[in-house]
Amino acid sequence: MEQRGLTEHELSAWRTSIRMMELLRTRIEQQLQAASGLSSADYAVLSVLSEAPDGRLRAYELGQETGWEKSRLHHQITRMHKRDLITRERYGSRGIYVVLTEKGLAAIKEAAPGHAQEVRRLFIDPLTPEQLDRMAGIAGILLDHLEADQPSP
Amino acid sequence: MEQRGLTEHELSAWRTSIRMMELLRTRIEQQLQAASGLSSADYAVLSVLSEAPDGRLRAYELGQETGWEKSRLHHQITRMHKRDLITRERYGSRGIYVVLTEKGLAAIKEAAPGHAQEVRRLFIDPLTPEQLDRMAGIAGILLDHLEADQPSP
């Protein structure tokens, strides 16, 4: 039923791509969960914070970095706060800093090598350097388009 | 923290790619939910069944087609059964057929054009035909690798 509006060729490209993305995501998540109890979303937040000065970012900046909408970011921060992986600090009347805790820093330090190894095994190593560059180039085009685009009403 | 084991160049390719995949997935899901109340997973099942003879597949075959593991497939089928989008029929002592219902067929018929339009808008149209073919080629390489691979212990 998916064909309407797509040629067979386009449909085939889409299905291969989306299936790869689904399976890659599942595998990356499985390794993280099994090895460290972190979700991919936890990892993304910890990773961004661990690279920020003093392990601290405005919630707004964290949203920019992760590409998440406000409500998703809010839920994720709340969950991670309960687990003591991050803490929140207010500034001004409405602003919030998200800050990496010692426990959060320890968690990402422990998880990072295994995660990097899995990324290498499932995504980097199967491709030639040229293919990896092409993949990144195409992903960049799509990402620019997605970020500039308004969601459908 | 992610760098260990990855070069800056590899890390950058990975981050661009995974962020694109996340955002694309979110957008596709949002359009489906808003327009039809279906999740991407619902859509995948209905799509595969609607192309099978008599709208019917063995659960095992459905797992092959979607690439999902047994427990994920089971939960998905249970949820869709409750919503009367599919039904289950036993065969032999342990086998199950998953069968598209009239309601499921109507749901995918209604959802398909809007979904195809969103796939075109977010994935097909931003790329040249050559880029789309490259994307599909690289996705195919990664998918073959993922499917042949055993999950990390």
Side-chain angles (χ1 to χ4, degrees):
Chain A
M1 288 295 160
E2 201 161 19
Q3 292 84 335
R4 293 188 224 181
L6 300 180
T7 66
E8 278 297 321
H9 189 73
E10 289 166 345
L11 183 66
S12 165
W14 166 249
R15 285 190 175 172
T16 303
S17 301
I18 198 70
R19 185 164 169 175
M20 177 277 284
M21 294 177 200
E22 269 290 308
L23 195 51
L24 181 60
R25 184 173 170 277
T26 303
R27 286 294 181 79
I28 293 288
E29 183 90 18
Q30 281 169 345
Q31 188 279 333
L32 265 178
Q33 282 285 0
S36 65
L38 298 174
S39 68
S40 296
D42 298 334
Y43 192 90
V45 169
L46 296 176
S47 174
V48 168
L49 288 177
S50 72
E51 291 172 15
D54 300 324
R56 159 192 309 256
L57 277 180
R58 294 171 190 205
Y60 169 79
E61 294 169 307
L62 189 58
Q64 295 282 103
E65 288 291 325
T66 56
W68 297 336
E69 291 166 28
K70 215 169 170 181
S71 76
R72 177 168 178 197
L73 183 66
H74 174 78
H75 288 299
Q76 180 65 32
I77 289 175
T78 303
R79 279 194 299 269
M80 292 179 74
H81 187 219
K82 281 184 188 157
R83 292 159 64 201
D84 195 26
L85 294 168
I86 57 160
T87 185
R88 290 175 290 199
E89 290 174 13
R90 297 202 164 276
Y91 69 90
S93 58
R94 295 174 55 206
I96 288 178
Y97 279 114
V98 182
V99 188
L100 194 62
T101 61
E102 274 188 34
K103 189 176 164 191
L105 182 62
I108 187 149
K109 275 190 177 168
E110 199 188 323
H115 175 65
Q117 196 181 335
E118 194 73 345
V119 169
R120 169 168 295 291
R121 202 169 70 82
L122 299 179
F123 184 74
I124 309 286
D125 284 350
L127 302 177
T128 66
E130 191 184 28
Q131 287 168 338
L132 183 65
D133 286 348
R134 283 182 179 174
M135 175 72 216
I138 291 168
I141 292 168
L142 291 170
L143 189 56
D144 286 348
H145 187 84
L146 284 160
E147 287 178 338
D149 185 60
Q150 294 298 316
S152 286
Chain B
M1 288 295 161
E2 201 162 19
Q3 292 85 331
R4 291 187 225 180
L6 300 180
T7 67
E8 278 298 321
H9 189 73
E10 289 166 345
L11 183 65
S12 165
W14 166 249
R15 285 189 174 172
T16 303
S17 301
I18 198 72
R19 184 163 169 177
M20 176 278 285
M21 294 178 201
E22 269 290 308
L23 194 52
L24 180 61
R25 185 174 169 276
T26 303
R27 287 294 182 79
I28 292 287
E29 183 90 16
Q30 281 169 344
Q31 188 278 332
L32 264 179
Q33 282 284 1
S36 65
L38 298 174
S39 69
S40 296
D42 298 334
Y43 192 89
V45 169
L46 295 176
S47 174
V48 167
L49 287 177
S50 73
E51 291 172 15
D54 300 323
R56 160 193 308 257
L57 277 180
R58 294 171 190 205
Y60 169 79
E61 293 168 309
L62 190 58
Q64 294 284 103
E65 288 292 324
T66 56
W68 298 336
E69 290 166 28
K70 216 169 170 180
S71 77
R72 176 166 178 202
L73 183 67
H74 174 78
H75 288 300
Q76 180 64 32
I77 289 174
T78 302
R79 280 195 298 269
M80 293 181 74
H81 188 218
K82 281 184 188 156
R83 293 159 65 202
D84 196 26
L85 294 168
I86 56 160
T87 184
R88 290 175 290 199
E89 290 175 13
R90 297 202 164 278
Y91 70 90
S93 58
R94 295 175 56 207
I96 288 180
Y97 278 114
V98 182
V99 188
L100 194 62
T101 61
E102 276 188 32
K103 189 175 164 191
L105 182 62
I108 186 148
K109 276 190 177 168
E110 199 188 322
H115 175 66
Q117 197 182 333
E118 193 74 345
V119 169
R120 169 169 295 291
R121 201 169 71 82
L122 299 179
F123 184 74
I124 309 285
D125 284 350
L127 302 177
T128 65
E130 191 184 28
Q131 287 168 338
L132 183 64
D133 286 349
R134 283 182 180 173
M135 175 72 217
I138 291 168
I141 292 168
L142 291 170
L143 189 56
D144 285 349
H145 187 84
L146 285 159
E147 287 178 339
D149 186 59
Q150 293 298 317
S152 287

